[in-house]
Amino acid sequence: MTEEKDKTPNPSRRQFIKSSAIAAAGFMIVPRHVLGGKGFIAPSDKLLIAGVGAGGKGQSDIANFYKSGKAEIAFLCDVDDRRSAKSRSDFPKAKYYKDWREMFDKEHKHFDAVSVSTPDHNHAIITYNAMQLNKHVYVQKPLTHDIWEARMLTEAAKKYKVVTQMGNQGSSNDGTRLLSEWYDADLIGDVHTVYCWTNRPVWPQGIAWPPPQPNIPKELDWDLWLGTAPKKDYVDKLVPFNWRGWWDYGTGALGDMGCHLVEAPFRVLGIQYAKDVQASVGSVYVDEFKEGHFPESCPPSSHITLTFPKTEKTKGDVTLHWMDGGIQPERPVELLASEKFGGEEGNGTLFIGTKGKMYASTYSDAPTLLPKSLTKDAKAPQKWARVPGGAEGHYAQWVEGCIAGYGKTELSSSFDKAGPLTEALLMANLAVRGHELQGGRVKLVWDNQAMKVTNFDAVNQYIKRDYREGFVLKA
């Protein structure tokens, strides 16, 4: 763990070091549980975390790290004092910053790990800078805003040998492991087609950019919020949530829910990089026969089809359908007329094999064989260890992995897993943007090694964007 200085915000840890020195001078070795009582965790065995993004999802992430009992929240950083208020109240000893760059510069010797929970467009620059400081990182999904960023972070995690985790907590659920065991036991045969669907967006999309507002809330540092994105005037309701529907900041419904719903197909089938993708998108009409043209905004709905090459776990290519905006696949014929189809809150994943079908809900909850009557008596050898606490245990798994050190434990969504998953989803978004550029549906052919589309160059501009001065990401 990081060496403590006298000015550390953790005096209990400083006292522990002093006590240890006194014990050593007297040639005494006393077990920590004797010194601190049953269940005592020595301060030197706790992970010191700096949280970048302390409101909303960041607030719950930070709280869950602390709940593990093996972490201390040493620093908090947020561009919006309103959003960070609850975390600052919950962790009053944590020093607070607005600019993560200043916090990293001044305090990097005093924390071990960084949690990143900001809008998508700032994930990569914060994460990469943290890894350069040899800090372990937990990053909210999607891992990055751009494909190049995902590849770069995946490689950087190996280079800097830090413990990583993406915040798609369903990857720690029992459900995704059970689905994998069912498949490995050949209960549904060879899977060739997968459907993933969501009710997102649950925020405005397919709309015009709103008019600027002259009064920026005094608690918000708008320039820091923009970060890597182009300089623009402040607009209402972009912060704290509706940024998801704008290409400069978010990655649409795919970015929000894809990492949750497509994780199971990646695990179960061993798929990684897609070889082609196509999309159809929902239209918006602003008058009779007058279609709206809003290139800055994600469309209101889409159906995207990705083709993944044959893997060691499939007999041929796998076709994966992504549907958002409330669009869902046809009900499986195995369902009785009165049985509901779909997942919790309008999200789900359906596997279609040569011998049967199976599906699950958000976070791979409620895994089900079809017909449903097969689920109760399904038998398959347990091959994969379960994560204590499932989705909630996703946070403690990372904390414990950081304490153990790089390469000592396997994590559910380390960057070697999260990176390829994120790349596939962002490649799907290339097809959505290609639809806008082409004025219709095209199939994009992907060269994974070169990281580019080979047959429609116009979309390659979105693989790696230009960064704003002061927030340039250099690998």
Side-chain angles (χ1 to χ4, degrees):
M1 296 292 92
T2 301
E3 181 184 353
E4 287 296 319
K5 306 293 184 181
D6 285 344
K7 61 180 182 179
T8 176
N10 184 353
S12 62
R13 188 173 184 179
R14 203 165 57 235
Q15 184 58 45
F16 170 79
I17 294 171
K18 291 179 180 178
S19 299
S20 299
I22 293 170
F27 301 100
M28 296 175 60
I29 300 176
V30 182
R32 287 184 197 145
H33 71 272
V34 174
L35 291 172
K38 186 178 180 180
F40 173 72
I41 297 175
S44 60
D45 287 342
K46 284 197 174 185
L47 188 74
L48 297 181
I49 297 175
V52 183
K57 190 58 184 169
Q59 176 186 316
S60 63
D61 287 345
I62 291 164
N64 276 297
F65 298 139
Y66 183 76
K67 197 193 311 185
S68 73
K70 298 181 180 180
E72 291 186 9
I73 309 305
F75 298 94
L76 294 171
C77 181
D78 203 294
V79 301
D80 192 338
D81 294 343
R82 299 167 301 178
R83 298 285 287 172
S84 63
K86 179 69 164 58
S87 291
R88 286 186 286 130
S89 174
D90 289 344
F91 303 101
K93 293 181 180 179
K95 190 173 181 180
Y96 178 63
Y97 286 85
K98 275 202 168 185
D99 191 333
W100 62 270
R101 298 169 301 179
E102 181 185 5
M103 182 177 72
F104 282 12
D105 182 55
K106 293 182 177 179
E107 309 289 358
H108 64 272
K109 294 182 179 180
H110 306 131
F111 58 85
D112 308 306
V114 177
S115 168
V116 180
S117 185
T118 67
D120 302 350
H121 67 292
N122 286 323
H123 282 186
I125 189 170
I126 299 168
T127 303
Y128 187 71
N129 276 270
M131 287 196 289
Q132 283 185 308
L133 295 170
N134 295 115
K135 306 303 178 185
H136 308 301
V137 284
Y138 183 102
V139 186
Q140 258 309 317
K141 48 77 192 170
L143 184 60
T144 62
H145 182 274
D146 300 342
I147 296 171
W148 174 81
E149 294 175 335
R151 184 75 59 92
M152 184 266 294
L153 291 190
T154 303
E155 294 172 352
K158 299 173 186 175
K159 175 182 177 180
Y160 293 107
K161 293 180 168 44
V162 293
V163 178
T164 59
Q165 184 95 297
M166 183 171 71
N168 55 332
Q169 58 268 40
S171 63
S172 287
N173 254 348
D174 292 358
T176 186
R177 289 157 178 78
L178 182 58
L179 290 168
S180 188
E181 289 160 356
W182 284 349
Y183 183 66
D184 290 348
D186 200 35
L187 297 190
I188 65 169
D190 177 58
V191 166
H192 50 81
T193 305
V194 178
Y195 286 89
C196 300
W197 64 95
T198 181
N199 64 345
R200 268 56 162 192
V202 292
W203 53 84
Q205 284 191 186
I207 58 174
W209 182 252
Q213 299 297 320
N215 299 318
I216 302 174
K218 65 180 185 301
E219 300 91 348
L220 172 68
D221 190 316
W222 173 242
D223 188 70
L224 286 178
W225 187 93
L226 287 173
T228 62
K231 181 72 173 177
K232 285 188 178 180
D233 291 332
Y234 174 77
V235 296
D236 277 341
K237 296 185 178 179
L238 192 68
V239 180
F241 189 67
N242 289 349
W243 53 266
R244 287 195 175 278
W246 300 100
W247 291 121
D248 276 344
Y249 321 109
T251 47
L254 262 168
D256 183 44
M257 293 303 296
C259 292
H260 292 309
L261 298 167
V262 185
E263 183 274 333
F266 265 62
R267 178 186 295 271
V268 171
L269 306 177
I271 58 177
Q272 282 203 325
Y273 299 103
K275 64 180 185 180
D276 60 57
V277 61
Q278 57 183 300
S280 60
V281 304
S283 301
V284 177
Y285 281 80
V286 295
D287 206 341
E288 296 177 7
F289 295 95
K290 184 179 179 182
E291 189 172 357
H293 178 69
F294 308 118
E296 294 178 297
S297 177
C298 307
S301 60
S302 66
H303 176 191
I304 303 165
T305 307
L306 296 127
T307 306
F308 291 90
K310 176 184 179 300
T311 74
E312 293 181 354
K313 301 185 73 174
T314 68
K315 294 181 179 179
D317 290 352
V318 175
T319 302
L320 188 146
H321 297 268
W322 169 266
M323 299 173 167
D324 59 45
I327 303 171
Q328 294 190 5
E330 183 180 359
R331 280 173 53 88
V333 296
E334 294 86 352
L335 283 173
L336 301 177
S338 59
E339 289 180 322
K340 288 181 65 176
F341 172 58
E344 175 193 0
E345 298 177 350
N347 307 302
T349 302
L350 171 69
F351 296 81
I352 300 177
T354 53
K355 293 168 55 177
K357 300 171 186 173
M358 61 185 184
Y359 75 93
S361 182
T362 317
Y363 302 162
S364 296
D365 284 335
T368 305
L369 286 167
L370 295 177
K372 288 186 174 182
S373 57
L374 297 176
T375 305
K376 182 179 179 182
D377 297 323
K379 290 182 173 59
Q382 180 173 326
K383 297 176 61 177
W384 310 107
R386 281 13 181 197
V387 177
E392 289 192 4
H394 193 65
Y395 306 91
Q397 184 194 58
W398 175 69
V399 171
E400 291 169 0
C402 294
I403 292 172
Y406 178 77
K408 299 296 179 59
T409 58
E410 182 177 356
L411 276 74
S412 299
S413 196
S414 49
F415 287 4
D416 59 312
K417 304 179 185 75
L421 171 58
T422 300
E423 280 194 44
L425 301 174
L426 297 177
M427 180 188 161
N429 269 340
L430 290 184
V432 174
R433 305 198 77 171
H435 194 285
E436 175 74 31
L437 292 171
Q438 186 76 359
R441 190 171 185 173
V442 294
K443 177 188 277 190
L444 305 182
V445 180
W446 181 247
D447 183 333
N448 184 58
Q449 185 171 357
M451 220 170 12
K452 71 175 184 177
V453 171
T454 60
N455 64 321
F456 186 39
D457 188 58
V459 297
N460 286 324
Q461 64 182 299
Y462 303 124
I463 293 170
K464 180 184 178 183
R465 64 203 152 97
D466 294 327
Y467 299 96
R468 189 162 64 98
E469 185 177 354
F471 298 90
V472 176
L473 179 56
K474 296 179 181 179

